[in-house]
């Protein structure tokens, strides 16, 4: 005759929980197979796992995600680039502007008349040396020169405020390309649509207007609330037309160039996206360079050198 099972014998035969040995349990972790009581188990993708295995799995997932991102994969920006954790290009550009400003201040001996600095005169976007003497570096060096304390302060604030979120939204490489294409656009507009004796221009505002143009494309593509953009754009347009000495052409050229470059970045097809982006930006750059070459072909030749003008060292150009 068979005897009924003894409950006390069955309970004693069960293993104790790995973390609570005084708790017999018939359950175990699906990963490490150690016995575990219900309080020590967590629901996982497959079965139930102990708290140690859940924590180890999370650490392993984070390590794999880091390796995935470091290999160039992972989260992507609006332009399809690798998602940057922090803005790097914007602070570097800002630092370059500030450092160059104080170099010109040291050379000129004046914080308000730093335009007398040799570096300033060699880098400003003046039409005669740029077009007549083929000093093409001025197209970009002028974007890193600021005239006076108010100019550097306002442009530094604008670049910091506008540049950082845009850099993280687009990615470092697309943002850098956008910045310099916008700078080229501002310089090209000023060179092409002004006379040879036009007042020289300097400043990062042409490139900054290009960044505002990029925001315009982003707002349209993502159908965002345009209030913030309209406020920023309206404020900058007001300053452009109301403050004397500001180059309207440089601002307009930078804005249009930035808008077109961002359109090429964001509306490129998914297949072979990088190739389409490079091609689109190349078209914008070639078009602007073509306008500059056309203007240059209509300009007389000249040679330039430093000389004395009204008791000051000045960079003077003479027709050949």
């Amino acid at each position: 005759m068979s005897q009924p099972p003894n409950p006390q014998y069955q309970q004693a035969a069960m293993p104790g929980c790995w973390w609570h040995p005084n708790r017999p349990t018939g359950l175990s972790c699906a990963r490490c197979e150690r016995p575990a009581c219900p309080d020590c188990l967590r629901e996982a993708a497959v079965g139930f796992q102990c708290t140690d295995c859940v924590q180890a799995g999370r650490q392993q997932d984070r390590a794999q995600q880091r390796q995935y991102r470091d290999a160039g994969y992972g989260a992507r920006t609006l332009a399809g680039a690798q998602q940057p954790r922090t803005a790097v290009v914007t602070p570097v550009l800002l630092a370059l502007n500030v450092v160059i400003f104080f170099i010109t201040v040291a050379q000129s001996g004046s914080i308000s008349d730093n335009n007398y600095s040799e570096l300033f005169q060699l880098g400003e976007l003046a039409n005669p040396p740029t077009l007549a003497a083929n000093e093409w570096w001025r197209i970009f060096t002028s974007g890193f020169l600021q005239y006076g304390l108010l100019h550097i302060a306002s442009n530094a604030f604008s670049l910091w405020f506008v540049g950082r979120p845009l850099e993280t939204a687009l990615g470092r490489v697309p943002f850098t390309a956008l910045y310099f294409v916008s700078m080229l656009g501002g310089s090209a507009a000023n060179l092409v649509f002004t006379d040879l004796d036009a007042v020289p221009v300097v400043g990062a505002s042409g490139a900054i207007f290009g960044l505002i143009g990029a925001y315009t494309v982003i707002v349209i593509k993502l159908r965002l609330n345009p209030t913030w953009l309209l406020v920023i754009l309206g404020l900058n347009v007001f300053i452009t037309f109301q403050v004397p000495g500001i180059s309207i052409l440089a601002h307009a050229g930078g804005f249009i160039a930035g808008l077109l470059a961002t359109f090429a970045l964001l509306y490129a097809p998914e297949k072979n996206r990088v190739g389409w982006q490079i091609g689109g930006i190349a078209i914008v750059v070639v078009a602007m360079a073509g306008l500059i070459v056309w203007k240059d072909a209509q300009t007389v030749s000249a040679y330039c050198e430093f000389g004395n003008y009204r008791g000051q060292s000045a960079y003077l150009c003479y027709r050949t």
Side-chain angles (χ1 to χ4, degrees), residues 15-41:
C17 172
W18 186 269
W19 295 268
H20 305 97
N22 60 339
R23 298 183 187 178
T25 179
L27 304 175
S28 62
C29 173
R31 184 173 181 177
C32 66
E33 298 183 351
R34 290 180 293 184
C37 65
D39 291 339
C40 297
L41 291 175

Side-chain angles (χ1 to χ4, degrees), residues 59-303:
Q59 293 177 351
Q60 184 178 1
D61 289 342
R62 285 194 292 266
Q64 290 176 346
Q65 290 173 5
R66 284 195 298 270
Q67 294 175 354
Y68 193 67
R69 288 194 300 268
D70 293 341
Y73 303 100
R76 292 286 167 174
T77 66
L78 295 175
Q82 186 177 354
Q83 182 71 55
R85 299 176 186 176
T86 57
V88 173
V89 179
T90 302
V92 170
L93 292 171
L94 180 58
L96 282 174
N97 280 274
V98 172
V99 169
I100 293 174
F101 172 73
F102 282 106
I103 291 176
T104 61
V105 169
Q107 287 184 347
S108 63
S110 172
I111 199 169
S112 58
D113 293 324
N114 61 313
N115 57 310
Y116 291 112
S117 159
E118 290 187 3
L119 178 62
F120 195 102
Q121 294 184 62
L122 285 173
E124 64 185 353
L125 188 66
N127 288 11
T130 306
L131 294 172
N134 297 325
E135 296 182 359
W136 302 114
W137 65 80
R138 295 173 180 269
I139 291 173
F140 294 103
T141 56
S142 59
F144 291 95
L145 294 170
Q146 318 297 325
Y147 175 57
L149 189 60
L150 180 60
H151 195 201
I152 180 65
S154 60
N155 279 342
F157 174 79
S158 298
L159 177 56
W160 182 258
F161 182 74
V162 176
R164 288 181 304 132
L166 189 59
E167 181 181 346
T168 55
L170 296 179
R172 290 170 185 162
V173 174
F175 175 80
T176 304
L178 168 67
Y179 189 87
F180 283 98
V181 169
S182 301
M183 186 182 294
L184 173 61
S187 297
N190 195 79
L191 289 172
V192 172
F193 299 108
T194 59
D195 297 328
L196 197 61
D197 57 351
V199 177
V201 297
V202 294
S205 53
I208 293 172
F209 261 80
L211 303 185
I212 297 175
Y215 275 110
T216 304
V217 178
I218 292 175
V219 167
I220 294 173
K221 181 175 176 60
L222 300 183
R223 298 180 180 179
L224 303 176
N225 188 333
T227 303
W228 178 85
L229 173 65
L230 293 175
V231 171
I232 295 297
L233 184 59
L235 178 61
N236 281 275
V237 170
F238 175 80
I239 294 174
T240 299
F241 284 95
Q242 294 300 318
V243 177
I246 290 182
S247 174
I248 299 174
L249 285 171
H251 287 188
F255 180 85
I256 295 173
L259 190 147
L260 293 176
T262 309
F263 186 88
L265 289 171
L266 300 191
Y267 285 90
E270 290 289 336
K271 186 177 181 180
N272 195 22
R273 172 185 278 178
V274 175
W276 282 101
Q277 289 174 333
I278 294 174
I281 291 178
I283 292 174
V284 177
V285 171
V286 169
M288 292 186 294
L291 287 174
I292 296 174
V293 171
W294 170 78
K295 180 72 173 185
D296 178 62
Q298 302 179 21
T299 307
V300 296
S301 299
Y303 76 94

